[in-house]
Amino acid sequence: MKLKLKTVFLLYFMVSLMGLVYALMQLGQRCDCREHDLPKDRTISQLRGELHKLHEQMRKSEPTKASKKTSLPTIYVITPTYARLVQKAELTRLSQTFLHVPQLHWILVEDAPHKTPLVRDFLAASGLTYTHLHMLTPKERKLQEGDPTWLKPRGAEQRNEGLRWLREMAAAAGGKGPTIESAVVYFADDDNTYSLQLFEEMRYTVKVSVWPVGLVGGMKFERPVVENGKVVRFHTGWRPSRPFPIDMAGFAVSLKLVLDNPEARFDGDAQIGFLESSFLQNMVTMEELEPKADMCNKVLVWHTRTEKPKMKREEALIKQGLGSDPNVEV
């Protein structure tokens, strides 16, 4: 019978306490060898035997836990990011969620001509397994100041760069092995909020798994509608006729499916709302989608964009020559 580590520690403490009490009882007593009879010797011998068994079980339990962790399918999370005042704050929030997810590899892709020191140092101190990449969005595809967020697809180049890295990594490994064939790819933006349960829901994706997303598209949630275990349509407030009217945070893809479809990518020139469809439509059909999160009845991810900070006082101080200390990193 296998003992839990907590039970082992409890038994170890009780046996140690009994030994301590017995030793204290002997202090100050005259040594009379005639009193050291066989029953006492037998009890001490049994206690020592129990201690030895507990030590062995404790020694064996740690490798078992480690092997269980490494046997989990890897989740590769691709996150586009760009320089802004709240960047480090949002990356901090996201990374501290990821720290609680076993067997996760974070692929962070900067929208920049080169890797920035802020993101490089942040990742180095994060405690996560990560890959740091960069890919600059062409000027004609960038949103300009004051543009609504929905005007142009965002993050396409960065997500494609993450997919490129995964394909090259898999090719270098021969395209086989449990860490590749069972792995999952998820596209997690740095301004969303994620339940830890979401990552366990997606971990065993066969092709494409789907679930609801909260606070999106001007609605409390959007979700796939499931009947008899199959996705039959989508509950969405805009263009439900799209091939896959789904939010970027609402699906995960098996790495094997990505590798089997080397041309699959996000189209940076896609129509508004069609970015997800441009990636999924040639890899999977609606009938093949795998509903998760209680048959798509539970929201486990939310769009919670951080409000853009107002810097009027900061700007006024700068005009007076009293700006912030440049040595302080925000």
Side-chain angles (χ1 to χ4, degrees):
M1 181 179 68
K2 294 184 178 179
L3 293 173
K4 294 184 178 178
L5 191 57
K6 183 177 180 181
T7 306
V8 171
F9 275 120
L10 183 60
L11 290 172
Y12 181 84
F13 174 78
M14 292 176 64
V15 172
S16 300
L17 185 61
M18 290 172 62
L20 178 61
V21 171
Y22 178 80
L24 290 172
M25 290 174 62
Q26 305 307 309
L27 289 175
Q29 294 187 15
R30 292 172 54 192
C31 179
D32 186 350
C33 295
R34 288 174 298 178
E35 294 180 355
H36 294 183
D37 52 13
L38 286 175
K40 288 184 178 180
D41 290 341
R42 191 177 297 115
T43 300
I44 294 172
S45 177
Q46 288 175 348
L47 288 172
R48 286 174 177 168
E50 290 298 321
L51 278 172
H52 178 73
K53 289 179 182 178
L54 290 171
H55 276 301
E56 284 299 305
Q57 289 181 357
M58 290 171 66
R59 184 180 63 81
K60 292 177 181 178
S61 67
E62 287 305 319
T64 302
K65 288 173 67 179
S67 62
K68 182 180 179 181
K69 179 179 177 181
T70 54
S71 66
L72 290 172
T74 300
I75 299 175
Y76 289 98
V77 178
I78 298 176
T79 300
T81 188
Y82 65 98
R84 60 202 190 278
L85 280 173
V86 298
Q87 182 184 29
K88 189 175 181 182
E90 295 194 316
L91 291 177
T92 297
R93 178 177 58 192
L94 186 56
S95 69
Q96 291 182 0
T97 296
F98 290 166
L99 281 169
H100 295 281
V101 183
Q103 210 64 16
L104 182 145
H105 186 123
W106 195 13
I107 304 171
L108 192 60
V109 191
E110 292 193 71
D111 185 352
H114 50 75
K115 299 175 184 177
T116 64
L118 184 149
V119 175
R120 179 196 64 213
D121 296 343
F122 171 82
L123 285 171
S126 69
L128 291 163
T129 301
Y130 67 87
T131 296
H132 184 191
L133 304 172
H134 68 94
M135 177 58 66
L136 183 65
T137 301
K139 187 176 180 180
E140 62 273 13
R141 288 182 179 172
K142 275 185 176 291
L143 287 172
Q144 302 303 311
E145 187 69 28
D147 285 346
T149 56
W150 48 261
L151 186 61
K152 296 177 181 178
R154 296 184 299 162
E157 288 78 11
Q158 291 73 42
R159 296 183 185 99
N160 287 336
E161 177 65 6
L163 291 170
R164 180 202 61 77
W165 182 87
L166 281 170
R167 288 173 174 129
E168 288 191 358
M169 177 274 298
K176 294 183 179 180
T179 57
I180 293 174
E181 294 181 348
S182 64
V184 179
V185 183
Y186 182 51
F187 304 96
D189 290 346
D190 58 7
D191 56 356
N192 292 341
T193 300
Y194 303 88
S195 165
L196 294 178
Q197 184 184 342
L198 176 66
F199 299 96
E200 299 315 312
E201 293 279 338
M202 73 175 70
R203 193 178 292 278
Y204 295 96
T205 297
V206 177
K207 283 191 172 183
V208 177
S209 54
V210 294
W211 47 79
V213 178
L215 309 178
V216 60
M219 302 175 64
K220 289 176 66 176
F221 60 84
E222 291 183 341
R223 74 179 184 101
V225 178
V226 180
E227 294 179 2
N228 299 319
K230 296 289 185 180
V231 176
V232 294
R233 63 184 182 278
F234 286 83
H235 172 73
T236 178
W238 188 78
R239 298 285 294 270
S241 60
R242 287 172 289 164
F244 289 93
I246 190 171
D247 185 82
M248 192 68 66
F251 68 92
V253 185
S254 74
L255 178 56
K256 185 177 184 302
L257 186 66
V258 170
L259 300 178
D260 289 344
N261 293 270
E263 300 303 317
R265 59 189 298 278
F266 293 94
D267 182 2
D269 293 317
Q271 292 178 255
I272 297 169
F274 281 74
L275 187 61
E276 295 84 355
S277 294
S278 70
F279 175 65
L280 292 171
Q281 61 188 356
N282 294 320
M283 292 197 299
V284 69
T285 64
M286 188 174 298
E287 291 73 23
E288 294 174 307
L289 296 177
E290 304 153 43
K292 303 290 185 180
D294 191 21
M295 287 296 167
C296 297
N297 286 305
K298 185 181 293 183
V299 176
L300 299 173
V301 55
W302 300 261
H303 274 269
T304 50
R305 293 186 179 93
T306 304
E307 181 182 358
K308 186 177 180 180
K310 297 177 177 62
M311 294 286 109
K312 291 182 179 179
R313 290 187 178 88
E314 183 76 15
E315 291 165 1
L317 287 173
I318 291 173
K319 288 179 181 179
Q320 298 172 37
L322 301 171
S324 300
D325 187 339
N327 295 316
V328 177
E329 183 184 272
V330 181

